[in-house]
């Protein structure tokens, strides 16, 4: 029940985000959305994910978005009516297909679902002896799936290089050139 | 047919579609990225919901506890959250660049400028 209530809040916030045109308010609502998501993760037993979402999703993302607003503009233009109508149709069709797809899925919390019968029981039974950490998520992340985590660090490194390449030294020069062009 | 067990998935789908709507119906680039974030959190919720086991606890080994929720989706989503922030940062950097070059972050205005040139 608590989960459904929290998710209901999230849906309301999501709709508010779609309707509000003040981008500052939208970004802050996005932070609240992430934080509610973190609460739901904790209730669903994913405590590590909850921590990470609260710190990274609700924290760092919001800061990045606010920084972007400071560098650009914080007011959104009105979108034409026709465009939102087409989008609503597309969204409803996609949503209906997805709901149809869920009909075959195992029910919520079912211990016999296929997802709980492959490697997960092995991790839960053996990781205590093999890795020696009480937190199974840490064992899987750092040991059994260490290469995944290594790949993740490569992704972050690439993104950091990309951001520096886009926003680095060259950012101010074109602006000056444009100013000159405007004056001339 | 016991459809109550699917209610969580359906709410997650509503959240996903809210994010999808924000992405496709708005021309503002910052808002598109916010929409992507909403979609992302919803997908994470879908995965975490699938990993939950009735009566299970968080997957931290402890004496006297027999049933744990599935730790595998948690690991995958931890990676995905961090990668998501990396892509958000890259997207926002592009938005700042576009704003510098065109003076606007509305995609239809950028299109109009491109067509005039």
């Amino acid at each position: 029940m608590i989960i459904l209530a929290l998710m209901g809040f999230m849906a309301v916030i999501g709709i508010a985000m779609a309707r509000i045109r003040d981008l500052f308010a939208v970004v802050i609502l996005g932070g609240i959305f992430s934080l509610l998501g973190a609460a739901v993760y904790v209730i669903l037993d994913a405590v590590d994910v909850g921590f990470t979402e609260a710190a990274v999703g609700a924290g760092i993302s919001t800061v990045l978005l606010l920084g972007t607003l400071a560098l650009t503009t914080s007011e959104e233009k009105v979108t034409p009516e026709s465009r939102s109508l087409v989008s609503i149709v597309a969204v409803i069709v996609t949503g209906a297909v997805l709901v149809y797809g869920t009909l075959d899925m195992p029910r919520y919390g079912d211990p016999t679902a296929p997802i709980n019968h492959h490697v997960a029981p092995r991790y839960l039974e053996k990781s205590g002896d093999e890795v020696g950490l009480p937190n199974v998520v840490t064992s899987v992340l750092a040991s059994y799936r260490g290469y995944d985590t290594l790949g993740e660090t490569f992704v972050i490194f690439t993104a950091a290089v990309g951001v520096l390449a886009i926003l680095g030294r060259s950012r101010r020069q074109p602006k000056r050139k444009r100013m000159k062009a405007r004056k001339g | 047919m016991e459809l109550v067990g699917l209610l969580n998935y359906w709410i997650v789908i509503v959240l996903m579609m809210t994010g999808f709507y924000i992405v496709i119906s708005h021309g503002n680039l910052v808002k598109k990225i916010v929409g992507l974030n909403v979609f992302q959190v919803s997908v994470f919720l879908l995965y975490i919901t699938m990993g939950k086991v009735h009566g299970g606890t968080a997957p931290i080994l402890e004496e006297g506890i027999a049933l744990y929720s599935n730790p595998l989706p948690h690991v995958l989503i931890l990676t995905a959250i961090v990668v998501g922030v990396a892509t958000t940062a890259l997207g926002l950097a592009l938005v700042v660049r576009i704003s510098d070059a065109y003076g606007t972050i509305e995609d239809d205005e950028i299109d109009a400028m491109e067509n005039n040139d």
Side-chain angles (χ1 to χ4, degrees):
Chain A
M1 276 313 280
I2 299 174
I3 299 173
L4 293 182
L6 284 175
M7 281 183 169
F9 278 142
M10 289 174 79
V12 171
I13 289 174
I15 292 163
M17 283 163 78
R19 301 209 54 91
I20 293 176
R21 294 223 322 280
D22 179 8
L23 289 177
F24 182 74
V26 170
V27 169
I28 298 302
L29 281 177
I32 299 173
F33 186 88
S34 279
L35 209 57
L36 282 174
V40 176
Y41 297 148
V42 172
I43 299 170
L44 290 173
D45 295 343
V47 280
D48 310 72
V49 184
F51 284 148
T52 316
E53 177 70 36
V56 175
I60 298 179
S61 287
T62 309
V63 170
L64 289 175
L65 279 160
L66 287 177
T68 313
L69 290 189
L71 290 172
T72 58
T73 166
S74 61
E75 190 65 36
E76 190 199 3
K77 302 269 162 54
V78 186
T79 35
E81 197 81 348
S82 58
R83 186 169 176 169
S84 49
L85 222 73
V86 172
S87 330
I88 285 180
V89 173
V91 161
I92 289 177
V93 170
T94 317
V97 172
L98 285 175
V99 168
Y100 176 69
T102 60
L103 294 180
D104 279 346
M105 280 176 75
R107 299 301 183 257
Y108 166 71
D110 184 3
T112 59
I115 189 174
N116 297 324
H117 281 278
H118 190 47
V119 291
R122 191 192 174 283
Y123 288 152
L124 287 170
E125 278 160 23
K126 302 245 175 87
S127 74
D129 296 330
E130 284 178 352
V131 185
L133 291 173
N135 190 337
V136 183
V137 174
T138 312
S139 305
V140 178
L141 190 79
S143 176
Y144 295 109
R145 289 181 172 258
Y147 282 112
D148 264 11
T149 310
L150 183 67
E152 175 195 334
T153 24
F154 281 135
V155 170
I156 297 167
F157 177 73
T158 316
V161 170
V163 170
L164 287 179
I166 292 169
L167 288 187
R169 222 153 27 103
S170 63
R171 183 169 131 68
R172 275 176 210 105
Q173 282 159 358
K175 213 169 190 174
R176 254 183 243 137
K177 263 181 214 159
R178 264 190 299 135
M179 295 291 248
K180 269 181 201 162
R182 263 183 216 159
K183 274 175 198 160
Chain B
M1 278 274 276
E2 195 200 339
L3 289 178
V4 182
L6 295 175
L7 200 58
N8 280 43
Y9 298 132
W10 292 345
I11 298 184
V12 167
I13 289 173
V14 169
L15 293 178
M16 271 187 204
M17 288 304 109
T18 315
F20 186 39
Y21 175 79
I22 297 176
V23 173
I24 60 176
S25 76
H26 291 270
N28 187 290
L29 297 175
V30 171
K31 199 140 182 192
K32 275 181 195 288
I33 290 180
V34 172
L36 272 182
N37 277 337
V38 170
F39 197 101
Q40 212 173 26
V41 173
S42 324
V43 173
F44 299 163
L45 276 175
L46 179 72
Y47 270 68
I48 300 294
T49 309
M50 287 195 282
K52 169 74 179 165
V53 176
H54 270 314
T57 60
I60 296 170
L61 301 175
E62 187 79 41
E63 290 291 325
I65 294 178
L67 195 59
Y68 298 102
S69 286
N70 194 330
L72 200 55
H74 303 183
V75 175
L76 300 179
I77 296 311
L78 273 181
T79 310
I81 288 177
V82 177
V83 170
V85 167
T87 48
T88 304
L90 201 61
L92 289 174
L94 283 171
V95 170
V96 171
R97 268 311 256 154
I98 288 170
S99 158
D100 277 355
Y102 292 93
T104 174
I105 51 170
E106 302 283 336
D107 63 357
D108 41 358
E109 288 177 10
I110 296 169
D111 273 350
M113 276 186 209
E114 284 289 303
N115 291 336
N116 285 343
D117 283 345

